[in-house]
Amino acid sequence: MKKLILAMCCLAVALASTQAFADQPTLSIPDVYNQAQTGWHQSYNTARGESVTVDIDIAVPDVSAFPCYYAEDMQPVNGVPTSKNDMAEYGEAATINNPGFFRYDWPNRQIQRQWQTTARENGTMLESFGEPRALVVRYGHFDMDTAYSVNNPSTMRDAETFMAECVQTFFSDKAIGLTPHWLRAHIDPGKYKKNKAMNDYEKVRDDPNFQGCLFTYFDQTIDGIPVLGYGYQGYADYKGASMKDESKGILGGICITQGMRDIGSEELYRSLQLKLISVTDLIAEDVPFCSLDAVIQTAEQLISAGQLRTVDSLRLGYVVWLDQTNTYKLMPTWVIEGELFANATADYRTAMTILTSTPLEYANVYINAQTGELIDPWKSNENRAYDAPSLITWR
C-alpha cells in the first residue's frame, strides 16, 4: 500500500508538470527580482515520511531587461597558437586555444619537469600521496575569503582574481563576465582505503606536508545574467555522452590551484580552463516571466512526492539549448541544484561514503521561467538536447 501511494504521488507530479499553469507570464525581470528578496524558507513533510527543509536565498539577476539570444562557441584567441603550447613561449605558462575552450597552466610542464629533476637530485621529492578526502561547497554556501583546502592558502576570491587576470590578458577585446558558482577542496591529506566490513573508506596514512587542490567553478554571465548549464544537463538520468550531441562538457570556467612542494617549489600551481560562448543574434530584447510562486509550487510538488530530496540553490538565468539552425539558443530558466529521484521509492544508487559526498542523483532541475512548468527531467528521446521550450514574448 505504501508503494502504491508513493507511485500515485509520482504520477500526480508528472501529470501536473505537463499542464500549463494559470499564472501567465506578465512580470518583468525587476518584478521577479523583488519577489525573490524574501528567499525560500520552508519545511515539508514528504510521501516517504521524511522532512525536507529549504533554507536558501533566491538568486535573480539585478537587471532591467532579460534579452534572449542565439549563440556559438567563442572563437580562439587571436595571436595565440591553436595547437597545445606546453613550452615557455608565453612566460612560464602553457596554453590550449581551441574553439570554445581556452586553458592556461602555470607553470608549464617543461618548468615542472625541471623542478622535479632538481627535487629528486636534492632528495626533497615527496612521494605521490593518493586520493584525499574532499569538501564540496555549493552556490550560496561558501565564503569568498576562506582557504578551504588543506595547506593551500588560495581562496575563491583569489581564484576570481586569477580568472579576471586571464580574461584581461587573453580576451581584452571581449566583454566576458564570470561569477563564482561552487568549489571542491581537499580537506584531509590522509590516504584512504576501502574497508569492506564497514562499507566505507578509512584513513590508512597521513602526511602533514600534503598540499590540497582547490577546484573553483564559475558561470559565464551575459548582460549580467548567468549561464547555468546545457539543456540536457537537466535530465537527471543523463550520465556521460550517451545521447546525440550531448558531449559538450563544462560551461563557464574552472580555476584549480595547488602548492608544489612535492616538486621542490614553494609556488602555487594554477590551471585556468574557460568554456565560453559568444552571442550571435538577438531573439528578443526582453521577455516576460511567471510569478515566483508558480515556480516554487512546481518544486514543492516534487518535494512532497519524495523525489526532490534536497535543495541547495534556486537561481534564474540562461540555459543553453542546441539549435538546428544556429549553434545554441539561450532560454530563461530557473535551476534548482539538489538530489532528484525519478522514483520516490528508490534509494541511492551508490552507497554514500566518506569520499563520495555527492550522490549520482545530484542534478540540475530545470523549471520554465515563463510558465512555471517542470522541464521533464526524464525525457529519453535522442534529440532531447534540441527540445527547447517555446519562447513567449511581450504582446
Side-chain angles (χ1 to χ4, degrees), residues 11 50 54 74 94 168 225 235 317 393:
L11 178 61
E50 300 168 341
V54 182
M74 189 167 288
Q168 179 60 35
I225 300 167
Y235 302 110
T393 57

Side-chain angles (χ1 to χ4, degrees), residues 136-343:
V136 173
V137 189
R138 303 288 176 181
Y139 181 88
H141 301 280
F142 57 78
D143 178 78
M144 291 291 293
D145 298 304
T146 296
Y148 288 95
S149 195
V150 61
N151 294 330
N152 181 341
S154 59
T155 65
M156 176 66 90
R157 195 174 304 281
D158 293 327
E160 185 178 48
T161 299
F162 295 150
M163 297 294 274
E165 290 172 349
C166 181
V167 167
Q168 179 60 35
T169 300
F170 295 101
F171 299 89
S172 58
D173 61 332
K174 298 179 174 66
I176 296 174
L178 294 168
T179 186
H181 183 175
W182 64 288
L183 65 84
R184 181 175 181 269
H186 290 156
I187 59 172
D188 190 334
K191 184 176 182 180
Y192 287 80
K193 183 178 180 180
K194 187 70 174 286
N195 184 325
K196 294 182 179 180
M198 60 187 295
N199 196 33
D200 203 343
Y201 290 83
E202 60 179 349
K203 183 190 285 190
V204 295
R205 180 185 158 189
D206 197 3
D207 185 349
N209 293 317
F210 173 79
Q211 295 180 284
C213 274
L214 177 67
F215 303 83
T216 54
Y217 298 80
F218 295 80
D219 296 319
Q220 182 180 0
T221 59
I222 297 175
D223 294 335
I225 300 167
V227 180
L228 301 179
Y230 290 106
Y232 61 76
Q233 289 174 315
Y235 302 110
D237 288 339
Y238 173 80
K239 300 299 172 189
S242 59
M243 292 288 186
K244 179 182 177 182
D245 296 332
E246 292 186 358
S247 58
K248 298 295 183 180
I250 68 162
L251 273 170
I254 300 175
C255 177
I256 304 170
T257 64
Q258 185 175 26
M260 294 186 290
R261 292 177 189 166
D262 60 331
I263 58 173
S265 173
E266 290 297 325
E267 304 289 345
L268 191 69
Y269 167 73
R270 300 191 292 274
S271 178
L272 312 180
Q273 303 170 29
L274 296 167
K275 169 65 173 171
L276 303 173
I277 58 176
S278 296
V279 167
T280 56
D281 294 302
L282 180 69
I283 302 175
E285 293 183 354
D286 189 27
V287 294
F289 293 85
C290 69
S291 72
L292 180 56
D293 286 343
V295 174
I296 292 179
Q297 177 187 346
T298 295
E300 287 174 335
Q301 291 171 339
L302 289 169
I303 294 170
S304 297
Q307 294 171 279
L308 182 57
R309 300 181 192 173
T310 60
V311 175
D312 285 333
S313 64
L314 176 60
R315 307 172 68 198
L316 177 60
Y318 292 121
V319 162
V320 178
W321 294 87
L322 305 187
D323 189 79
Q324 297 288 359
T325 304
N326 303 272
T327 305
Y328 303 127
K329 181 186 291 185
L330 307 185
M331 299 293 289
T333 310
W334 286 98
V335 180
I336 293 174
E337 293 179 308
E339 298 172 11
L340 180 67
F341 291 73
N343 188 339

Side-chain angles (χ1 to χ4, degrees), residues 84 86-88 107-121 125 260 263:
K84 183 176 181 181
D86 206 12
M87 306 300 287
N108 65 44
R109 290 184 183 179
Q110 183 182 46
I111 299 298
Q112 291 185 45
R113 285 195 293 267
Q114 292 173 359
W115 287 345
Q116 287 172 341
T117 299
T118 301
R120 290 191 186 96
E121 292 174 349
M125 183 72 181
M260 294 186 290
I263 58 173

